[in-house]
C-alpha cells in the first residue's frame, strides 16, 4: 500500500475543535448560542443513529440541540407546521430534516419550506442556485467535506482534472460545483457515461458518489491520483451473517495506485457531521451579523 490514507476521523475532530472555538467567539461577541434543530419522522433505525450522533456532536461543540421525533403517520401539513415554527424560532439557526421521509410526505415540498438562511443541509433551491452561480450560501455537508479533504491533501486544486462519479442533487452536482469554484476542470460521470474507466484514468482527483460497492477499480486510476470515496455500502462480511461497510472504491487495490485515498469507514463519513456543525455556526453568524471564523 503506497497511498497516503486520508484520516477523516482525525480531520473531523480538528474541525469540530475549530467550530467549538467559533461558537465561543460568537457567544462572547454577540451573546448568541447557535441552535440546531433536527427533525426525524418515523423510526428508521439508521436515521435514529444519525440523529443521536448529530445531537451529541452539536452539544459537544457548545451549541444547543433541539430534537423533534415525529410518528411515521405524521402528515405533510403537520410537518410543515413544525418547520414554520422552527423557521420563526430565534433560538434555532439550523434546521435539518432527516431523509428519507415517509411516503405520504413530499420531500421537495418539505426541503423548500425550510428558511434558506437556516438550511444547514444546503438542499433548498435558493442555496443550490447560489452555489451554481458562485455566490455565498449554505453548501451541502458531504460535498463540503470532500473538498476540504481534497484541499488538505493537495493544497490548491487549481487546474486539476477532477471526475465526480454520480450526479445526485445531494452529492454529485454540488461537489462538482465546488470543484469548479476551485478552478478544477470537472467531468461529471453517471450511469450513462461511456467508458467510465477511460474517463476516470485522466483524473488527478476522483470523487466517487455512486452507491455501488467497490465499483472504482485500480486500473481506472491515474497513478498518484487523489481518491475521495463518498460511498457507504453494506455488504456481506467474511463472517457468516455479519455485514460490513465498504465504499464505492476498491480500497485495497486502489491504495497501491493512488497518491492519497479515503477509507470507508473513517473518511468522508465523520467529516459530514463536522461540516453540519460548520454550517450551523455559519448560519448563526450570518443571522447575528457576525463574521464566521470557520
Ligand atoms: P444516488 O443514488 O442519488 O446517486 C447515485 C449516482 O451514481 C447517480 O447519479 C447514478 O447515475 C450514478 N451511478 C449509478 N450507477 C452507476 C454506474 N454503474 N456507473 C456510473 N454512475 C453510476 O446516491 P447519492 O448521491 O445520494 O449517494 C451516493 C453514495 O454516497 C451512496 O453510497 C450513499 O450512501 C453515500 N453517501 C454518503 C454520505 C456520507 O456522509 N459519507 C452522505 C450522502 C451519501 P444516474 O444519475 O445516471 O442514475
Amino acid at each position: 500500500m503506497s497511498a497516503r490514507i486520508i484520516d477523516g476521523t482525525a480531520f473531523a475532530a480538528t474541525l469540530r475543535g475549530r467550530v467549538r472555538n467559533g461558537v465561543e467567539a460568537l457567544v462572547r461577541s454577540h451573546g448568541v448560542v447557535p441552535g440546531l434543530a433536527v427533525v426525524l419522522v418515523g423510526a428508521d433505525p439508521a436515521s435514529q443513529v444519525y440523529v443521536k450522533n448529530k445531537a451529541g456532536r452539536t452539544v459537544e461543540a457548545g451549541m444547543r440541540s433541539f430534537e423533534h421525533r415525529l410518528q411515521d403517520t405524521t402528515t405533510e401539513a403537520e410537518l410543515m407546521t413544525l418547520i414554520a415554527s422552527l423557521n420563526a424560532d430565534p433560538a434555532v439557526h439550523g434546521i435539518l430534516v432527516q431523509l428519507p421521509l415517509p411516503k405520504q410526505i413530499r420531500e421537495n415540498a418539505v426541503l423548500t419550506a425550510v428558511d434558506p438562511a437556516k438550511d444547514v443541509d444546503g438542499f433548498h433551491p435558493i442555496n443550490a442556485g447560489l452555489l451554481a452561480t458562485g455566490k455565498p450560501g449554505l453548501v451541502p455537508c458531504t460535498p463540503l467535506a470532500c473538498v476540504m479533504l481534497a484541499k488538505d491533501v493537495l493544497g490548491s486544486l487549481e487546474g486539476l482534472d477532477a471526475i465526480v462519479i454520480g450526479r445526485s442533487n445531494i452529492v454529485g452536482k454540488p461537489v462538482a460545483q465546488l470543484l469548479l469554484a476551485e478552478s478544477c476542470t470537472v467531468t461529471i460521470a453517471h450511469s450513462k457515461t461511456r467508458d467510465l474507466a477511460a474517463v476516470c484514468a485522466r483524473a488527478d482527483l476522483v470523487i466517487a458518489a455512486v452507491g455501488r460497492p467497490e465499483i472504482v477499480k485500480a486500473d481506472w486510476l491515474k497513478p498518484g491520483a487523489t481518491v475521495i470515496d463518498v460511498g457507504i455500502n453494506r455488504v456481506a462480511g467474511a463472517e457468516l451473517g455479519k455485514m460490513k461497510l465498504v465504499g464505492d472504491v476498491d480500497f485495497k487495490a486502489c491504495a497501491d495506485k493512488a497518491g492519497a485515498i479515503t477509507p470507508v469507514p473513517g473518511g468522508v463519513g465523520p467529516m459530514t457531521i463536522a461540516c453540519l456543525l460548520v454550517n450551523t455556526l455559519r448560519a448563526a453568524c450570518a443571522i447575528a451579523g457576525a463574521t464566521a471564523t470557520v
Side-chain angles (χ1 to χ4, degrees):
M1 187 177 300
S2 57
R4 169 180 162 190
I5 308 303
I6 304 168
D7 187 345
T9 305
F11 192 111
T14 307
L15 188 56
R16 290 197 305 272
R18 283 169 44 204
V19 170
R20 203 184 156 83
N21 292 340
V23 169
E24 284 168 9
L26 181 63
V27 173
R28 273 197 308 275
S29 63
H30 289 73
V32 172
V33 181
L36 173 64
V38 178
V39 180
L40 174 62
V41 188
D44 177 56
S47 296
Q48 290 192 338
V49 174
Y50 293 142
V51 166
K52 191 163 166 266
N53 289 345
K54 283 169 186 167
R57 293 298 189 201
T58 304
V59 172
E60 272 172 34
M63 303 185 189
R64 287 197 188 108
S65 168
F66 306 97
E67 276 181 65
H68 296 268
R69 291 169 184 265
L70 308 181
Q71 302 287 328
D72 58 6
T73 51
T74 301
T75 64
E76 189 176 300
E78 286 166 338
L79 181 55
M80 290 297 199
T81 303
L82 172 61
I83 290 173
S85 76
L86 296 174
N87 283 344
D89 186 342
V92 172
H93 305 92
I95 302 169
L96 182 149
V97 181
Q98 185 68 45
L99 302 178
L101 290 167
K103 55 182 179 313
Q104 74 275 15
I105 300 176
R106 292 169 303 156
E107 223 164 79
N108 270 343
V110 171
L111 298 180
T112 307
V114 172
D115 179 348
K118 297 186 177 186
D119 169 38
V120 284
D121 251 342
F123 294 161
H124 194 290
I126 287 190
N127 281 316
L130 289 170
L131 178 60
T133 52
K135 303 210 170 60
L138 288 163
V139 173
C141 303
T142 301
L144 187 58
C146 293
V147 173
M148 279 186 182
L149 289 173
K151 286 176 78 172
D152 188 53
V153 175
L154 295 163
S156 167
L157 306 183
E158 189 178 310
L160 295 183
D161 280 322
I163 182 169
V164 179
I165 315 177
R167 57 174 164 179
S168 72
N169 290 335
I170 292 174
V171 190
K173 280 182 201 152
V175 85
Q177 300 283 5
L178 286 172
L179 293 173
L180 200 55
E182 295 291 336
S183 297
C184 289
T185 303
V186 185
T187 302
I188 306 177
H190 45 77
S191 67
K192 305 291 185 290
T193 298
R194 288 186 201 153
D195 201 351
L196 182 55
V199 180
C200 200
R202 292 200 296 267
D204 307 296
L205 173 59
V206 177
I207 312 263
V210 195
R212 300 277 182 274
E214 300 179 332
I215 187 177
V216 177
K217 304 298 179 199
D219 60 6
W220 295 17
L221 297 182
K222 180 175 180 176
T226 297
V227 181
I228 308 285
D229 189 353
V230 181
I232 302 176
N233 307 289
R234 237 167 264 279
V235 298
E239 251 181 86
L240 195 65
K242 287 254 168 91
M243 302 299 277
K244 63 169 184 172
L245 283 188
V246 298
D248 291 341
V249 175
D250 180 355
F251 177 80
K252 207 160 172 280
C254 288
D256 285 333
K257 185 98 175 269
I261 186 166
T262 58
V264 176
V268 175
M271 281 294 290
T272 294
I273 294 189
C275 286
L276 173 66
L277 303 178
V278 168
N279 276 352
T280 305
L281 176 59
R282 286 179 178 167
C285 287
I287 291 168
T291 308
T293 52
V294 69

